[in-house]
Amino acid sequence: MTQAIKKPKKNASDGVCFEKDNEKWTVYASTQSPYAFFYLPFMTLWTVLLTTSHFGTEMLRGNLSLSTVLLLTPFILITVLYWWITLLLMTGHYLFSVNDTMGSIFIGIGTIGWTRTFNWHDIHTITECDNWINRPQLGFGHKKIRMEADKSLTFAILLSQNKRHHFLEILRNQLIHRKAHTPTPSLLTQNAPPPAGNASGTSPTQQSKTP
């Protein structure tokens, strides 16, 4: 768990905000979704059924045997995971932040969440790709944003299509701007000054052999 950067002041009607201050810029995207109205009652019912079951009652009473613990552990982990997803769909957000070369991607609720860091100058391509649970026939048609570098990063699976496309457009524009203002290695070589004491560009060895 980590602490998020403060939400940008500029708001957008689709829940995506962008703010830039010199070399520092942030993109904020809310993960609020109508799917929360489905997950909330479902998870409430699931939790009630789990805690009122025979094994759940035994757990609440403290009568835990090894078999009970082994049986309940996967159900408890699944319950915690889906409650976290439910809360993200109710009031969560992504926060993409870049300060000069260092960047971070935060997902969470308020200041509680998960952050991944990266070097912004290592990113060379930003695309949209299919998510591994992409199953249109089951209602899972989500895509995600993919940033290509030495190690690729994917995120934004919880964003709606409109939010994801807006988010993606901002990132691509910032990438284009960075590439346009970053000198290429060939230009740096061409513009590099000649070695000290060698203004003509002739090597010291050649100069010494000149009569």
Side-chain angles (χ1 to χ4, degrees), residues 128-182:
E128 187 180 48
C129 62
D130 290 333
N131 181 39
W132 66 276
I133 61 170
N134 186 31
R135 296 290 186 273
Q137 67 273 22
L138 299 178
F140 297 102
H142 291 294
K143 293 181 178 291
K144 55 188 176 183
I145 296 175
R146 182 185 184 93
M147 298 195 306
E148 297 288 353
D150 294 337
K151 183 179 180 181
S152 62
L153 292 173
T154 59
F155 62 99
I157 182 179
L158 294 179
L159 296 182
S160 66
Q161 179 176 324
N162 290 338
K163 292 179 182 179
R164 187 174 62 253
H165 287 174
H166 190 177
F167 204 121
L168 183 62
E169 180 184 7
I170 293 173
L171 296 185
R172 283 175 170 170
N173 288 338
Q174 290 302 114
L175 183 61
I176 293 172
H177 180 270
R178 190 210 75 195
K179 289 182 177 180
H181 292 78
T182 301

Side-chain angles (χ1 to χ4, degrees), residues 2-184:
T2 186
Q3 185 173 4
I5 304 172
K6 185 175 68 172
K7 174 182 175 181
K9 298 178 182 179
K10 296 181 181 179
N11 295 310
S13 58
D14 64 352
V16 179
C17 314
F18 173 68
E19 187 174 81
K20 185 173 184 178
D21 182 14
N22 295 324
E23 296 299 321
K24 182 178 180 180
W25 53 275
T26 55
V27 186
Y28 173 98
S30 169
T31 57
Q32 294 179 359
S33 169
Y35 285 105
F37 292 102
F38 165 76
Y39 278 97
L40 183 59
F42 173 78
M43 288 307 303
T44 302
L45 178 61
W46 169 263
T47 304
V48 171
L49 292 176
L50 182 63
T51 54
T52 57
S53 65
H54 171 71
F55 295 105
T57 304
E58 291 296 311
M59 179 184 67
L60 294 176
R61 291 177 179 176
N63 300 328
L64 294 176
S65 63
L66 180 60
S67 60
T68 302
V69 172
L70 293 176
L71 182 64
L72 284 179
T73 297
F75 289 99
I76 293 175
L77 293 177
I78 291 174
T79 301
V80 171
L81 173 63
Y82 274 91
W83 265 117
W84 175 246
I85 293 175
T86 301
L87 293 175
L88 285 175
L89 293 177
M90 292 174 61
T91 183
H93 67 272
Y94 285 97
L95 192 62
F96 189 104
S97 177
V98 172
N99 190 353
D100 194 14
T101 62
M102 298 307 299
S104 64
I105 305 171
F106 171 87
I107 179 174
I109 302 167
T111 59
I112 301 174
W114 177 37
T115 297
R116 290 177 290 173
T117 59
F118 59 92
N119 189 316
W120 173 241
H121 283 195
D122 290 341
I123 306 299
H124 54 79
T125 307
I126 302 178
T127 60
E128 187 180 48
C129 62
D130 290 333
N131 181 39
W132 66 276
I133 61 170
N134 186 31
R135 296 290 186 273
Q137 67 273 22
L138 299 178
F140 297 102
H142 291 294
K143 293 181 178 291
K144 55 188 176 183
I145 296 175
R146 182 185 184 93
M147 298 195 306
E148 297 288 353
D150 294 337
K151 183 179 180 181
S152 62
L153 292 173
T154 59
F155 62 99
I157 182 179
L158 294 179
L159 296 182
S160 66
Q161 179 176 324
N162 290 338
K163 292 179 182 179
R164 187 174 62 253
H165 287 174
H166 190 177
F167 204 121
L168 183 62
E169 180 184 7
I170 293 173
L171 296 185
R172 283 175 170 170
N173 288 338
Q174 290 302 114
L175 183 61
I176 293 172
H177 180 270
R178 190 210 75 195
K179 289 182 177 180
H181 292 78
T182 301
T184 61

